Amino acid sequence: MLEKIDKFKAASIFYICLQCILLLKFYILGNFKLAYYFCYHAPLLFAIAFYRKDVVMIRALIIIGLVGQSVWLLDYSSYLLFGNFLLGNSKFILRYHGITYIATLFSHLFSSLLALSLVYNNDLPKRTMGYAFVYLFIFYVLNIVHIIPESYNVNYVWKVESLGVFPYQTKLYLLYLFPFSILPGYLIQLMVKKLVEKRSLIYVKYT
């Protein structure tokens, strides 16, 4: 029975449900501008990508969120296990309770990481990095022209809260993106893909 389930359709439904929970969070808090944050609108983009079975779009979205969400998970896990944050970039979740807490937690845990677990063995063309850059460039412009309020600091255009301000961070933001976000997001996916392929070859060889 499980083999007959289309994982892409199932993922699309899951992400739509997650986006609906986030919309409820925005309503409860009376702040729909929170949707500017990647983690809070990524479920909708993933839902569209999985519905269309657009692996390139899925891979590009993973590139955008993988590093940041992985660091967030490590930071919050440190707090849950040892009572201390590593960097403090997940500390804001302590402000939330009930459905707002669940929405925040799930949006950080089940966006990029879940998507990667579903497409890890699919194609990973290099052009996915270009698509990721286009998305980040658009949101950079929205920050610079202050359509997105500077206080929101979406995608760390103005500063990295836990580390402060990098030299000329805003002016050189697009240059920082490649070594700190886009390239690692791509290479991690490539490494996972290669490891799975290698393991599959070893399994075939000894069976």
Side-chain angles (χ1 to χ4, degrees), residues 13-30:
I13 293 171
F14 171 81
Y15 282 116
I16 284 292
C17 292
L18 179 54
Q19 190 64 64
C20 288
I21 295 174
L22 284 166
L23 288 173
L24 179 59
K25 170 186 173 174
F26 305 155
Y27 176 77
I28 292 172
L29 297 176

mmCIF file with all atom_site columns, all heavy atoms in Angstrom, residues 13-30:
data_model
loop_
_atom_site.group_PDB
_atom_site.id
_atom_site.type_symbol
_atom_site.label_atom_id
_atom_site.label_alt_id
_atom_site.label_comp_id
_atom_site.label_asym_id
_atom_site.label_entity_id
_atom_site.label_seq_id
_atom_site.pdbx_PDB_ins_code
_atom_site.Cartn_x
_atom_site.Cartn_y
_atom_site.Cartn_z
_atom_site.occupancy
_atom_site.B_iso_or_equiv
_atom_site.pdbx_formal_charge
_atom_site.auth_seq_id
_atom_site.auth_comp_id
_atom_site.auth_asym_id
_atom_site.auth_atom_id
_atom_site.pdbx_PDB_model_num
ATOM 1   N N   . ILE A 1 13 ? 0.944  17.945 -0.159 1.00 0.00 ? 13 ILE A N   1
ATOM 2   C CA  . ILE A 1 13 ? -0.152 18.090 0.803  1.00 0.00 ? 13 ILE A CA  1
ATOM 3   C C   . ILE A 1 13 ? 0.387  18.481 2.177  1.00 0.00 ? 13 ILE A C   1
ATOM 4   O O   . ILE A 1 13 ? -0.162 19.351 2.859  1.00 0.00 ? 13 ILE A O   1
ATOM 5   C CB  . ILE A 1 13 ? -0.956 16.782 0.897  1.00 0.00 ? 13 ILE A CB  1
ATOM 6   C CG1 . ILE A 1 13 ? -1.677 16.522 -0.428 1.00 0.00 ? 13 ILE A CG1 1
ATOM 7   C CG2 . ILE A 1 13 ? -1.954 16.839 2.051  1.00 0.00 ? 13 ILE A CG2 1
ATOM 8   C CD1 . ILE A 1 13 ? -2.317 15.155 -0.522 1.00 0.00 ? 13 ILE A CD1 1
ATOM 9   N N   . PHE A 1 14 ? 1.482  17.839 2.586  1.00 0.00 ? 14 PHE A N   1
ATOM 10  C CA  . PHE A 1 14 ? 2.086  18.154 3.886  1.00 0.00 ? 14 PHE A CA  1
ATOM 11  C C   . PHE A 1 14 ? 2.505  19.622 3.951  1.00 0.00 ? 14 PHE A C   1
ATOM 12  O O   . PHE A 1 14 ? 2.228  20.318 4.938  1.00 0.00 ? 14 PHE A O   1
ATOM 13  C CB  . PHE A 1 14 ? 3.295  17.264 4.144  1.00 0.00 ? 14 PHE A CB  1
ATOM 14  C CG  . PHE A 1 14 ? 4.097  17.681 5.355  1.00 0.00 ? 14 PHE A CG  1
ATOM 15  C CD1 . PHE A 1 14 ? 3.691  17.313 6.629  1.00 0.00 ? 14 PHE A CD1 1
ATOM 16  C CD2 . PHE A 1 14 ? 5.235  18.476 5.219  1.00 0.00 ? 14 PHE A CD2 1
ATOM 17  C CE1 . PHE A 1 14 ? 4.411  17.718 7.758  1.00 0.00 ? 14 PHE A CE1 1
ATOM 18  C CE2 . PHE A 1 14 ? 5.954  18.887 6.331  1.00 0.00 ? 14 PHE A CE2 1
ATOM 19  C CZ  . PHE A 1 14 ? 5.546  18.505 7.601  1.00 0.00 ? 14 PHE A CZ  1
ATOM 20  N N   . TYR A 1 15 ? 3.177  20.085 2.902  1.00 0.00 ? 15 TYR A N   1
ATOM 21  C CA  . TYR A 1 15 ? 3.654  21.468 2.905  1.00 0.00 ? 15 TYR A CA  1
ATOM 22  C C   . TYR A 1 15 ? 2.504  22.477 2.872  1.00 0.00 ? 15 TYR A C   1
ATOM 23  O O   . TYR A 1 15 ? 2.595  23.548 3.475  1.00 0.00 ? 15 TYR A O   1
ATOM 24  C CB  . TYR A 1 15 ? 4.612  21.704 1.742  1.00 0.00 ? 15 TYR A CB  1
ATOM 25  C CG  . TYR A 1 15 ? 6.000  21.165 1.993  1.00 0.00 ? 15 TYR A CG  1
ATOM 26  C CD1 . TYR A 1 15 ? 6.521  20.127 1.216  1.00 0.00 ? 15 TYR A CD1 1
ATOM 27  C CD2 . TYR A 1 15 ? 6.803  21.686 3.002  1.00 0.00 ? 15 TYR A CD2 1
ATOM 28  C CE1 . TYR A 1 15 ? 7.798  19.628 1.447  1.00 0.00 ? 15 TYR A CE1 1
ATOM 29  C CE2 . TYR A 1 15 ? 8.070  21.197 3.233  1.00 0.00 ? 15 TYR A CE2 1
ATOM 30  C CZ  . TYR A 1 15 ? 8.574  20.162 2.457  1.00 0.00 ? 15 TYR A CZ  1
ATOM 31  O OH  . TYR A 1 15 ? 9.836  19.669 2.696  1.00 0.00 ? 15 TYR A OH  1
ATOM 32  N N   . ILE A 1 16 ? 1.425  22.145 2.179  1.00 0.00 ? 16 ILE A N   1
ATOM 33  C CA  . ILE A 1 16 ? 0.249  23.020 2.181  1.00 0.00 ? 16 ILE A CA  1
ATOM 34  C C   . ILE A 1 16 ? -0.318 23.118 3.593  1.00 0.00 ? 16 ILE A C   1
ATOM 35  O O   . ILE A 1 16 ? -0.671 24.211 4.069  1.00 0.00 ? 16 ILE A O   1
ATOM 36  C CB  . ILE A 1 16 ? -0.829 22.490 1.212  1.00 0.00 ? 16 ILE A CB  1
ATOM 37  C CG1 . ILE A 1 16 ? -0.445 22.793 -0.229 1.00 0.00 ? 16 ILE A CG1 1
ATOM 38  C CG2 . ILE A 1 16 ? -2.186 23.108 1.522  1.00 0.00 ? 16 ILE A CG2 1
ATOM 39  C CD1 . ILE A 1 16 ? -0.476 24.273 -0.596 1.00 0.00 ? 16 ILE A CD1 1
ATOM 40  N N   . CYS A 1 17 ? -0.396 21.976 4.285  1.00 0.00 ? 17 CYS A N   1
ATOM 41  C CA  . CYS A 1 17 ? -0.899 21.973 5.661  1.00 0.00 ? 17 CYS A CA  1
ATOM 42  C C   . CYS A 1 17 ? 0.007  22.801 6.567  1.00 0.00 ? 17 CYS A C   1
ATOM 43  O O   . CYS A 1 17 ? -0.476 23.560 7.419  1.00 0.00 ? 17 CYS A O   1
ATOM 44  C CB  . CYS A 1 17 ? -0.997 20.538 6.182  1.00 0.00 ? 17 CYS A CB  1
ATOM 45  S SG  . CYS A 1 17 ? -2.264 19.537 5.369  1.00 0.00 ? 17 CYS A SG  1
ATOM 46  N N   . LEU A 1 18 ? 1.320  22.663 6.375  1.00 0.00 ? 18 LEU A N   1
ATOM 47  C CA  . LEU A 1 18 ? 2.272  23.427 7.176  1.00 0.00 ? 18 LEU A CA  1
ATOM 48  C C   . LEU A 1 18 ? 2.121  24.925 6.923  1.00 0.00 ? 18 LEU A C   1
ATOM 49  O O   . LEU A 1 18 ? 2.165  25.737 7.857  1.00 0.00 ? 18 LEU A O   1
ATOM 50  C CB  . LEU A 1 18 ? 3.702  22.977 6.869  1.00 0.00 ? 18 LEU A CB  1
ATOM 51  C CG  . LEU A 1 18 ? 4.832  23.696 7.611  1.00 0.00 ? 18 LEU A CG  1
ATOM 52  C CD1 . LEU A 1 18 ? 4.610  23.661 9.122  1.00 0.00 ? 18 LEU A CD1 1
ATOM 53  C CD2 . LEU A 1 18 ? 6.179  23.068 7.252  1.00 0.00 ? 18 LEU A CD2 1
ATOM 54  N N   . GLN A 1 19 ? 1.905  25.295 5.654  1.00 0.00 ? 19 GLN A N   1
ATOM 55  C CA  . GLN A 1 19 ? 1.713  26.711 5.339  1.00 0.00 ? 19 GLN A CA  1
ATOM 56  C C   . GLN A 1 19 ? 0.434  27.244 5.973  1.00 0.00 ? 19 GLN A C   1
ATOM 57  O O   . GLN A 1 19 ? 0.397  28.389 6.435  1.00 0.00 ? 19 GLN A O   1
ATOM 58  C CB  . GLN A 1 19 ? 1.680  26.916 3.828  1.00 0.00 ? 19 GLN A CB  1
ATOM 59  C CG  . GLN A 1 19 ? 1.725  28.381 3.403  1.00 0.00 ? 19 GLN A CG  1
ATOM 60  C CD  . GLN A 1 19 ? 3.028  29.061 3.788  1.00 0.00 ? 19 GLN A CD  1
ATOM 61  O OE1 . GLN A 1 19 ? 4.087  28.694 3.300  1.00 0.00 ? 19 GLN A OE1 1
ATOM 62  N NE2 . GLN A 1 19 ? 2.956  30.054 4.664  1.00 0.00 ? 19 GLN A NE2 1
ATOM 63  N N   . CYS A 1 20 ? -0.590 26.421 6.025  1.00 0.00 ? 20 CYS A N   1
ATOM 64  C CA  . CYS A 1 20 ? -1.843 26.840 6.660  1.00 0.00 ? 20 CYS A CA  1
ATOM 65  C C   . CYS A 1 20 ? -1.645 27.076 8.158  1.00 0.00 ? 20 CYS A C   1
ATOM 66  O O   . CYS A 1 20 ? -2.197 28.034 8.731  1.00 0.00 ? 20 CYS A O   1
ATOM 67  C CB  . CYS A 1 20 ? -2.931 25.786 6.439  1.00 0.00 ? 20 CYS A CB  1
ATOM 68  S SG  . CYS A 1 20 ? -3.539 25.714 4.736  1.00 0.00 ? 20 CYS A SG  1
ATOM 69  N N   . ILE A 1 21 ? -0.851 26.221 8.792  1.00 0.00 ? 21 ILE A N   1
ATOM 70  C CA  . ILE A 1 21 ? -0.542 26.407 10.218 1.00 0.00 ? 21 ILE A CA  1
ATOM 71  C C   . ILE A 1 21 ? 0.222  27.712 10.427 1.00 0.00 ? 21 ILE A C   1
ATOM 72  O O   . ILE A 1 21 ? -0.012 28.450 11.388 1.00 0.00 ? 21 ILE A O   1
ATOM 73  C CB  . ILE A 1 21 ? 0.273  25.205 10.751 1.00 0.00 ? 21 ILE A CB  1
ATOM 74  C CG1 . ILE A 1 21 ? -0.568 23.937 10.714 1.00 0.00 ? 21 ILE A CG1 1
ATOM 75  C CG2 . ILE A 1 21 ? 0.742  25.474 12.185 1.00 0.00 ? 21 ILE A CG2 1
ATOM 76  C CD1 . ILE A 1 21 ? 0.206  22.684 11.075 1.00 0.00 ? 21 ILE A CD1 1
ATOM 77  N N   . LEU A 1 22 ? 1.119  28.026 9.502  1.00 0.00 ? 22 LEU A N   1
ATOM 78  C CA  . LEU A 1 22 ? 1.873  29.279 9.588  1.00 0.00 ? 22 LEU A CA  1
ATOM 79  C C   . LEU A 1 22 ? 0.959  30.489 9.408  1.00 0.00 ? 22 LEU A C   1
ATOM 80  O O   . LEU A 1 22 ? 1.118  31.506 10.087 1.00 0.00 ? 22 LEU A O   1
ATOM 81  C CB  . LEU A 1 22 ? 2.985  29.294 8.541  1.00 0.00 ? 22 LEU A CB  1
ATOM 82  C CG  . LEU A 1 22 ? 4.203  28.422 8.886  1.00 0.00 ? 22 LEU A CG  1
ATOM 83  C CD1 . LEU A 1 22 ? 5.087  28.234 7.658  1.00 0.00 ? 22 LEU A CD1 1
ATOM 84  C CD2 . LEU A 1 22 ? 5.007  29.046 10.018 1.00 0.00 ? 22 LEU A CD2 1
ATOM 85  N N   . LEU A 1 23 ? 0.005  30.373 8.498  1.00 0.00 ? 23 LEU A N   1
ATOM 86  C CA  . LEU A 1 23 ? -0.958 31.462 8.312  1.00 0.00 ? 23 LEU A CA  1
ATOM 87  C C   . LEU A 1 23 ? -1.759 31.700 9.594  1.00 0.00 ? 23 LEU A C   1
ATOM 88  O O   . LEU A 1 23 ? -2.067 32.843 9.947  1.00 0.00 ? 23 LEU A O   1
ATOM 89  C CB  . LEU A 1 23 ? -1.896 31.145 7.148  1.00 0.00 ? 23 LEU A CB  1
ATOM 90  C CG  . LEU A 1 23 ? -1.277 31.231 5.751  1.00 0.00 ? 23 LEU A CG  1
ATOM 91  C CD1 . LEU A 1 23 ? -2.262 30.720 4.704  1.00 0.00 ? 23 LEU A CD1 1
ATOM 92  C CD2 . LEU A 1 23 ? -0.862 32.663 5.421  1.00 0.00 ? 23 LEU A CD2 1
ATOM 93  N N   . LEU A 1 24 ? -2.074 30.607 10.266 1.00 0.00 ? 24 LEU A N   1
ATOM 94  C CA  . LEU A 1 24 ? -2.782 30.726 11.548 1.00 0.00 ? 24 LEU A CA  1
ATOM 95  C C   . LEU A 1 24 ? -1.899 31.437 12.571 1.00 0.00 ? 24 LEU A C   1
ATOM 96  O O   . LEU A 1 24 ? -2.386 32.278 13.345 1.00 0.00 ? 24 LEU A O   1
ATOM 97  C CB  . LEU A 1 24 ? -3.186 29.342 12.059 1.00 0.00 ? 24 LEU A CB  1
ATOM 98  C CG  . LEU A 1 24 ? -3.926 29.296 13.401 1.00 0.00 ? 24 LEU A CG  1
ATOM 99  C CD1 . LEU A 1 24 ? -5.213 30.102 13.330 1.00 0.00 ? 24 LEU A CD1 1
ATOM 100 C CD2 . LEU A 1 24 ? -4.206 27.844 13.785 1.00 0.00 ? 24 LEU A CD2 1
ATOM 101 N N   . LYS A 1 25 ? -0.617 31.129 12.548 1.00 0.00 ? 25 LYS A N   1
ATOM 102 C CA  . LYS A 1 25 ? 0.327  31.818 13.442 1.00 0.00 ? 25 LYS A CA  1
ATOM 103 C C   . LYS A 1 25 ? 0.332  33.315 13.156 1.00 0.00 ? 25 LYS A C   1
ATOM 104 O O   . LYS A 1 25 ? 0.279  34.134 14.087 1.00 0.00 ? 25 LYS A O   1
ATOM 105 C CB  . LYS A 1 25 ? 1.730  31.244 13.268 1.00 0.00 ? 25 LYS A CB  1
ATOM 106 C CG  . LYS A 1 25 ? 2.817  32.055 13.974 1.00 0.00 ? 25 LYS A CG  1
ATOM 107 C CD  . LYS A 1 25 ? 4.212  31.559 13.675 1.00 0.00 ? 25 LYS A CD  1
ATOM 108 C CE  . LYS A 1 25 ? 5.260  32.495 14.266 1.00 0.00 ? 25 LYS A CE  1
ATOM 109 N NZ  . LYS A 1 25 ? 6.635  31.986 14.124 1.00 0.00 ? 25 LYS A NZ  1
ATOM 110 N N   . PHE A 1 26 ? 0.428  33.678 11.875 1.00 0.00 ? 26 PHE A N   1
ATOM 111 C CA  . PHE A 1 26 ? 0.434  35.099 11.509 1.00 0.00 ? 26 PHE A CA  1
ATOM 112 C C   . PHE A 1 26 ? -0.832 35.795 12.005 1.00 0.00 ? 26 PHE A C   1
ATOM 113 O O   . PHE A 1 26 ? -0.787 36.936 12.483 1.00 0.00 ? 26 PHE A O   1
ATOM 114 C CB  . PHE A 1 26 ? 0.548  35.279 9.988  1.00 0.00 ? 26 PHE A CB  1
ATOM 115 C CG  . PHE A 1 26 ? 1.731  34.589 9.363  1.00 0.00 ? 26 PHE A CG  1
ATOM 116 C CD1 . PHE A 1 26 ? 1.701  34.223 8.019  1.00 0.00 ? 26 PHE A CD1 1
ATOM 117 C CD2 . PHE A 1 26 ? 2.869  34.297 10.097 1.00 0.00 ? 26 PHE A CD2 1
ATOM 118 C CE1 . PHE A 1 26 ? 2.781  33.596 7.425  1.00 0.00 ? 26 PHE A CE1 1
ATOM 119 C CE2 . PHE A 1 26 ? 3.962  33.671 9.509  1.00 0.00 ? 26 PHE A CE2 1
ATOM 120 C CZ  . PHE A 1 26 ? 3.911  33.312 8.171  1.00 0.00 ? 26 PHE A CZ  1
ATOM 121 N N   . TYR A 1 27 ? -1.956 35.099 11.858 1.00 0.00 ? 27 TYR A N   1
ATOM 122 C CA  . TYR A 1 27 ? -3.239 35.671 12.282 1.00 0.00 ? 27 TYR A CA  1
ATOM 123 C C   . TYR A 1 27 ? -3.270 35.869 13.789 1.00 0.00 ? 27 TYR A C   1
ATOM 124 O O   . TYR A 1 27 ? -3.706 36.928 14.279 1.00 0.00 ? 27 TYR A O   1
ATOM 125 C CB  . TYR A 1 27 ? -4.379 34.752 11.834 1.00 0.00 ? 27 TYR A CB  1
ATOM 126 C CG  . TYR A 1 27 ? -5.737 35.206 12.309 1.00 0.00 ? 27 TYR A CG  1
ATOM 127 C CD1 . TYR A 1 27 ? -6.395 36.259 11.690 1.00 0.00 ? 27 TYR A CD1 1
ATOM 128 C CD2 . TYR A 1 27 ? -6.353 34.576 13.397 1.00 0.00 ? 27 TYR A CD2 1
ATOM 129 C CE1 . TYR A 1 27 ? -7.645 36.686 12.130 1.00 0.00 ? 27 TYR A CE1 1
ATOM 130 C CE2 . TYR A 1 27 ? -7.597 34.990 13.849 1.00 0.00 ? 27 TYR A CE2 1
ATOM 131 C CZ  . TYR A 1 27 ? -8.236 36.047 13.212 1.00 0.00 ? 27 TYR A CZ  1
ATOM 132 O OH  . TYR A 1 27 ? -9.466 36.478 13.663 1.00 0.00 ? 27 TYR A OH  1
ATOM 133 N N   . ILE A 1 28 ? -2.831 34.872 14.531 1.00 0.00 ? 28 ILE A N   1
ATOM 134 C CA  . ILE A 1 28 ? -2.830 34.963 15.999 1.00 0.00 ? 28 ILE A CA  1
ATOM 135 C C   . ILE A 1 28 ? -1.943 36.112 16.467 1.00 0.00 ? 28 ILE A C   1
ATOM 136 O O   . ILE A 1 28 ? -2.301 36.863 17.385 1.00 0.00 ? 28 ILE A O   1
ATOM 137 C CB  . ILE A 1 28 ? -2.353 33.632 16.625 1.00 0.00 ? 28 ILE A CB  1
ATOM 138 C CG1 . ILE A 1 28 ? -3.395 32.532 16.372 1.00 0.00 ? 28 ILE A CG1 1
ATOM 139 C CG2 . ILE A 1 28 ? -2.102 33.793 18.120 1.00 0.00 ? 28 ILE A CG2 1
ATOM 140 C CD1 . ILE A 1 28 ? -2.938 31.142 16.779 1.00 0.00 ? 28 ILE A CD1 1
ATOM 141 N N   . LEU A 1 29 ? -0.787 36.261 15.823 1.00 0.00 ? 29 LEU A N   1
ATOM 142 C CA  . LEU A 1 29 ? 0.154  37.312 16.210 1.00 0.00 ? 29 LEU A CA  1
ATOM 143 C C   . LEU A 1 29 ? -0.195 38.662 15.601 1.00 0.00 ? 29 LEU A C   1
ATOM 144 O O   . LEU A 1 29 ? 0.374  39.691 15.985 1.00 0.00 ? 29 LEU A O   1
ATOM 145 C CB  . LEU A 1 29 ? 1.575  36.919 15.795 1.00 0.00 ? 29 LEU A CB  1
ATOM 146 C CG  . LEU A 1 29 ? 2.146  35.659 16.447 1.00 0.00 ? 29 LEU A CG  1
ATOM 147 C CD1 . LEU A 1 29 ? 3.519  35.344 15.866 1.00 0.00 ? 29 LEU A CD1 1
ATOM 148 C CD2 . LEU A 1 29 ? 2.237  35.821 17.965 1.00 0.00 ? 29 LEU A CD2 1
ATOM 149 N N   . GLY A 1 30 ? -1.121 38.653 14.632 1.00 0.00 ? 30 GLY A N   1
ATOM 150 C CA  . GLY A 1 30 ? -1.506 39.894 13.969 1.00 0.00 ? 30 GLY A CA  1
ATOM 151 C C   . GLY A 1 30 ? -0.387 40.491 13.143 1.00 0.00 ? 30 GLY A C   1
ATOM 152 O O   . GLY A 1 30 ? -0.278 41.712 13.025 1.00 0.00 ? 30 GLY A O   1
#
